[in-house]
Amino acid sequence: MVKIFFFGGFVLVGVGIAMLATDHLAFSAEITGTFVSSRTILFPLGIAAVLIGGIAVLAGTVVEVVRSQRR
């Protein structure tokens, strides 16, 4: 179960980065250059995916470290 969270978190981070890159590349002509001025749904979804994926990877790592220290 922990490995599912760990690798799923990496996949979610990758998907989030891809969303942010798509948002930036596809709509860069309409964006004034600031990071927050994106007007598409990809930006908040990408940020959420990166944050949730990072938390899942961190949680999986912490659980594995705690398990290895108990042995």
Side-chain angles (χ1 to χ4, degrees), residues 11-12 17 21 27 29 34 45 49 56-57 65 68 70-71:
V11 169
L12 203 55
I17 290 172
F27 303 102
T34 61
L45 288 177
V57 169
V65 168
S68 68
R70 286 187 178 180
R71 294 180 191 169

Side-chain angles (χ1 to χ4, degrees), residues 28-53:
S28 63
E30 301 171 7
I31 297 172
T32 61
T34 61
F35 193 63
V36 182
S37 65
S38 175
R39 294 182 201 101
T40 66
I41 192 67
L42 293 176
F43 180 76
L45 288 177
I47 293 294
V50 170
L51 287 176
I52 293 170

Side-chain angles (χ1 to χ4, degrees), residues 2-14:
V2 174
K3 291 188 186 220
I4 292 172
F5 279 119
F6 186 74
F7 291 116
F10 272 125
V11 169
L12 203 55
V13 168

